[in-house]
Amino acid sequence: MNINLEREYLNLEEKLGFYFGRLISYPLIPPEHVYFSLTSRCNLRCRMCDISKNPSRIEDELSVSKIKDIILQIKDMGIKHIIFSGGEPLLREDLIELVEFAVANSIKMVDIITNGILLTDDIIQSLIKLKLNHITISLDGLRESNDKIRGEGVFDKAETNIDKFNYYKSKHRLSFPTVGINFTIMDKNIDDMLPMIEFARNKKCNIIVLQPLLFNNTKMYEKKSNSLWPSGNSIKKLRNITKDVVKLKEKLSDLYIFTDKLILDKLPDYFLGRRPGSIFKCYEGIKRIVINCDGKLWSCVGIYGDLKKESLKNIWLSEEAMKVRNKVKKCKEHCLQDCVYFPNDVLGQTGNFLKKIEYLNQGERKQFVGRLIEKNNYYLDILNRKEKDRFLNLFQWLDLKRGRNRLFQIQKEIIKLR
């Protein structure tokens, strides 16, 4: 078996699952990950973040026993990736215990997002020993820019702790956890985008995420720009810099620039207030689950369940969740977040895969083709059954029609290889 092609096939299968799940507003495969906010308390007061203005009370946060119960529910749903975040998750004294529990219960990828300054030698060594999958450290520029945004001395502390991860990983001859940097693009740090990519490379980081500033990161509905919002000459500068970033994304082999090329291309227009266009489809409520520190299931269009009252699976498959997905499909808000964006060109992606298997021997090719036809027929059957729903509106009916047309086109391409 060709391992790389098998990986690409499974990736394509996942994309088809998300695509057709979004089409019918009902998940057909488990979400890619659970984004689990353990607390909304934070030890920093970053200029672009409003979390610190409304911190959670410790007594209102989920208990360690409840979080463990939810982790087991996540596992039972077949979800393989948990991202522990905050606020600042290291303010939870039980974070190490939760990481250990998730790993011990076969959650394949357990990640942490942190500002990095509360890490200690003991914590770092524990996380390495426990086989944490990935740690993301938020930095918004080199020392001067970052500390104007995040606070004096923050850059040096975070940099030291990245170095410590490298030291202890090297000492124990381990490659995990991988280390990444989250960089929020705003007016005050555009000049630091390319230097931060170089910084990440020098620090042996594996990933860098370049994400655009939100109007408000706690009130997604708020559309009022602030002093950190790029404008005028900053946007002209950004247009040139993003072109260089795209070139680096295609060229670099030692650092993965996570942000999609299409998003990088659209960043200047985003800051000019232009919507990204129909090529961008939001997969909120399909691609991920977001759990707040109080156990509520969050989406950018509203809360749709409470884990203190109901199971994760029941909420995820509920009518309230379907309402969220229907709202998201119609959403035309000004947004360019990489968290739930997903390429919509399933035809193109299927075509690319078929080209790659065209030159395999007949037996190997037949296996891939057979699996793809079986999956195609499965989705076609779902769309046909869904169309018989007498409560369908015109918008939903047109969605199903588009989906079937795509499946028929995919089928034609597959048959050529049989």
Side-chain angles (χ1 to χ4, degrees):
M1 179 190 289
N2 186 312
I3 294 174
N4 289 332
L5 279 178
E6 176 64 18
R7 192 180 293 119
E8 285 192 45
Y9 171 78
L10 292 174
N11 184 256
L12 174 62
E13 207 174 68
E14 182 181 67
K15 287 177 179 177
L16 290 170
F18 287 142
Y19 175 80
F20 289 106
R22 181 182 185 274
L23 210 64
I24 64 171
S25 299
Y26 191 86
L28 298 173
I29 60 172
E32 183 185 79
H33 64 267
V34 170
Y35 189 93
F36 206 143
S37 175
L38 299 175
T39 179
S40 62
R41 293 174 287 132
C42 190
N43 55 320
L44 296 183
R45 300 291 181 268
C46 303
R47 290 184 62 193
M48 73 296 186
C49 179
D50 279 349
I51 283 178
S52 62
K53 294 179 182 177
N54 294 289
S56 53
R57 299 186 308 166
I58 295 175
E59 57 267 32
D60 293 332
E61 295 172 2
L62 292 172
S63 67
V64 66
S65 60
K66 183 61 181 176
I67 293 171
K68 287 180 178 180
D69 173 62
I70 294 168
I71 289 170
L72 293 177
Q73 293 182 55
I74 289 168
K75 176 191 174 182
D76 289 344
M77 284 178 63
I79 303 167
K80 299 173 182 177
H81 190 184
I82 295 178
I83 303 169
F84 289 127
S85 69
E88 173 47 57
L90 282 163
L91 288 173
R92 289 276 310 218
E93 294 180 358
D94 46 28
L95 178 63
I96 299 296
E97 182 182 349
L98 293 171
V99 170
E100 182 177 20
F101 184 82
V103 173
N105 281 280
S106 304
I107 302 295
K108 187 176 179 181
M109 293 177 283
V110 182
D111 298 1
I112 292 172
I113 298 178
T114 173
N115 57 46
I117 69 171
L118 295 179
L119 291 164
T120 64
D121 289 69
D122 286 345
I123 291 173
I124 290 169
Q125 290 189 84
S126 293
L127 293 173
I128 292 171
K129 181 182 176 182
L130 292 172
K131 298 181 180 178
L132 182 76
N133 174 66
H134 180 75
I135 186 162
T136 298
I137 293 175
S138 298
L139 284 172
D140 297 317
L142 298 179
R143 183 176 293 102
E144 183 179 354
S145 299
N146 181 81
D147 287 3
K148 283 181 180 177
I149 295 165
R150 293 186 160 264
E152 190 174 346
V154 169
F155 182 87
D156 287 341
K157 289 176 184 176
E159 181 183 19
T160 296
N161 287 327
I162 291 173
D163 289 339
K164 286 181 179 179
F165 264 104
N166 288 330
Y167 169 74
Y168 287 116
K169 282 164 61 179
S170 176
K171 180 180 177 181
H172 298 294
R173 298 181 181 180
L174 295 170
S175 55
F176 285 88
T178 51
V179 179
I181 290 174
N182 262 9
F183 178 99
T184 301
I185 302 163
M186 55 193 99
D187 186 68
K188 306 299 181 187
N189 65 3
I190 288 173
D191 285 329
D192 280 18
M193 285 175 67
L194 293 172
M196 278 302 294
I197 291 173
E198 194 58 32
F199 171 83
R201 295 179 70 197
N202 290 336
K203 293 296 176 182
K204 299 179 183 177
C205 292
N206 305 86
I207 296 174
I208 186 167
V209 181
L210 305 168
Q211 56 190 28
L213 179 71
L214 287 164
F215 292 106
N216 187 306
N217 68 321
T218 60
K219 299 174 183 175
M220 299 288 283
Y221 52 83
E222 190 171 292
K223 303 301 173 190
K224 184 179 178 182
S225 60
N226 53 51
S227 62
L228 300 174
W229 199 260
S231 61
N233 290 331
S234 293
I235 293 178
K236 291 179 183 177
K237 191 187 301 179
L238 179 64
R239 203 174 293 279
N240 291 325
I241 290 172
T242 49
K243 289 177 183 176
D244 290 334
V245 173
V246 168
K247 290 176 185 174
L248 286 172
K249 180 178 173 68
E250 294 167 349
K251 172 186 172 185
L252 295 181
S253 58
D254 59 340
L255 178 73
Y256 178 45
I257 299 175
F258 179 85
T259 314
D260 193 277
K261 177 183 177 297
L262 290 172
I263 285 182
L264 290 168
D265 287 339
K266 290 290 183 180
L267 283 172
D269 289 339
Y270 166 81
F271 286 120
L272 286 170
R274 298 169 187 163
R275 289 174 180 158
S278 60
I279 193 170
F280 291 89
K281 300 294 182 185
C282 180
Y283 282 72
E284 180 66 73
I286 288 288
K287 192 182 173 195
R288 71 169 182 175
I289 293 174
V290 179
I291 302 174
N292 281 347
C293 61
D294 60 358
K296 303 283 198 319
L297 262 68
W298 179 95
S299 81
C300 43
V301 295
I303 300 292
Y304 60 98
D306 187 346
L307 287 166
K308 291 177 181 176
K309 299 176 181 177
E310 211 168 346
S311 74
L312 182 62
K313 185 175 181 180
N314 283 349
I315 296 171
W316 185 239
L317 302 179
S318 68
E319 193 172 320
E320 287 303 308
M322 183 173 280
K323 288 177 184 176
V324 163
R325 294 177 191 118
N326 282 325
K327 284 182 183 177
V328 166
K329 280 166 63 178
K330 298 174 186 176
C331 178
K332 295 181 180 178
E333 289 294 347
H334 180 263
C335 178
L336 201 63
Q337 293 299 300
D338 223 339
C339 52
V340 285
Y341 158 73
F342 203 66
N344 205 42
D345 182 19
V346 289
L347 284 178
Q349 289 155 7
T350 306
N352 289 338
F353 178 76
L354 292 174
K355 286 176 186 175
K356 290 180 180 179
I357 66 170
E358 187 176 347
Y359 302 103
L360 293 176
N361 66 56
Q362 189 175 5
E364 286 183 307
R365 189 174 69 239
K366 197 172 181 180
Q367 279 191 348
F368 281 120
V369 166
R371 289 162 70 186
L372 203 47
I373 286 177
E374 185 180 352
K375 190 59 66 175
N376 229 40
N377 287 337
Y378 169 67
Y379 290 133
L380 192 58
D381 182 55
I382 286 174
L383 296 187
N384 286 338
R385 281 189 279 120
K386 188 70 178 174
E387 193 178 25
K388 294 175 184 177
D389 186 343
R390 60 194 177 93
F391 297 107
L392 280 180
N393 59 40
L394 179 62
F395 181 85
Q396 292 166 322
W397 182 82
L398 288 172
D399 261 353
L400 295 178
K401 184 179 178 182
R402 290 189 197 100
R404 270 201 312 277
N405 286 341
R406 280 174 169 79
L407 284 170
F408 289 140
Q409 288 174 272
I410 289 172
Q411 203 87 326
K412 284 180 184 177
E413 294 301 313
I414 296 171
I415 289 169
K416 292 176 185 176
L417 290 181
R418 293 184 81 173

